[in-house]
Amino acid sequence: KAGVTQTPRYLIKTRGQQVTLSCSPISGHRSVSWYQQTPGQGLQFLFEYFSETQRNKGNFPGRFSGRQFSNSRSEMNVSTLELGDSALYLCASSFTVATNEKLFFGSGTQLSVL
Amino acid sequence: TQLLEQSPQFLSIQEGENLTVYCNSSSVFSSLQWYRQEPGEGPVLLVTVVTGGEVKKLKRLTFQFGDARKDSSLHITAAQPGDTGLYLCAGSSAAGNKLTFGGGTRVLVKP
């Protein structure tokens, strides 16, 4: 069974640009959540989708957005990039959104904003 | 805002020694998870503890959830170089996958 796949693996952008990151969950998983990981702030929750609906959102500005498609694949978009957006963006999938459902993380997309 | 504090931030030990990592909060969590993350990879779930006072063992790793469900610890016995990595605790307070992560403890086990 393939794991969570995130593309691209690495990305370099300049300030002001926008970026789209992609996440393919494990087959059969319907929940996808996104996290940002930085050395200073650690792992922070961005948002969570289940059956194409956003269920939860973290404390990030509106420049961060996401969506989920009918095949459960998810994308997140960051507009008007800032230097501080440089981070490892991790996607995680689970079968449902039940309490204590096991999360499976992808290897992440390393975004560098110059 | 719920916060999880991990200590220590960094641990360097020799192979065969024991170590303990702590995860503390002023908030109550419905469950707490421990992950290990290696460079270039995403976190991998090690264990989920749900009941206050619960103790779970995974080979040489022992996980404990505090009675009040506000804190947890991870103890590794006879550490091996393969235990090297970033250990993260994460708390859940509701259904869904919105986790609050601790800052992580970087463990280095030298052969």
Side-chain angles (χ1 to χ4, degrees), chain A residues 9 35 37 48 94 97 100 107, chain B residues 31 37 40-42 96-97 99:
Chain A
R9 192 79 172 86
Y35 288 82
Q37 186 174 28
E48 175 190 22
S94 63
V97 290
N100 303 325
S107 298
Chain B
S31 68
Q37 184 178 21
E41 299 297 328
N97 296 322
L99 298 176

Side-chain angles (χ1 to χ4, degrees), chain B residues 1-2 6 9 11 14 18 20 26 37 49 53 57 69-70 76-77 79 81 83 92-93 100 104 109:
Chain B
T1 304
Q2 294 180 310
Q6 280 187 244
Q9 288 185 310
L11 260 179
Q14 293 295 134
N18 302 333
T20 301
S26 58
Q37 184 178 21
V49 285
K57 292 193 175 183
R69 292 187 290 145
K70 291 182 180 181
I76 301 179
T77 304
D83 295 324
S92 172
S93 54
T100 299
V109 182

Side-chain angles (χ1 to χ4, degrees), chain A:
Chain A
K1 203 177 198 182
V4 178
T5 304
Q6 291 189 245
T7 56
R9 192 79 172 86
Y10 301 95
L11 207 48
I12 299 176
K13 292 286 187 179
T14 55
R15 278 182 300 173
Q17 288 187 310
Q18 75 163 15
V19 67
T20 300
L21 312 182
S22 179
C23 172
S24 293
I26 291 172
S27 178
H29 284 194
R30 294 166 62 194
S31 171
V32 172
S33 49
W34 289 87
Y35 288 82
Q36 181 197 64
Q37 186 174 28
T38 61
Q41 299 298 318
L43 268 144
Q44 293 184 288
F45 174 80
L46 280 157
F47 24 65
E48 175 190 22
Y49 289 88
F50 180 76
S51 294
E52 302 179 68
T53 301
Q54 187 180 91
R55 295 187 73 250
N56 268 310
K57 191 176 190 308
N59 297 323
F60 279 82
R63 299 185 297 106
F64 292 81
S65 63
R67 58 177 175 169
Q68 187 180 35
F69 302 96
S70 58
N71 62 357
S72 295
R73 191 177 70 84
S74 177
E75 288 181 347
M76 68 163 280
N77 184 278
V78 188
S79 63
T80 320
L81 284 166
E82 301 177 0
L83 295 178
D85 297 333
S86 294
L88 179 67
Y89 289 88
L90 291 161
C91 163
S93 78
S94 63
F95 184 63
T96 69
V97 290
T99 305
N100 303 325
E101 188 75 25
K102 185 173 181 179
L103 274 186
F104 295 83
F105 281 86
S107 298
T109 294
Q110 184 68 54
L111 172 65
S112 297
V113 182
L114 307 178

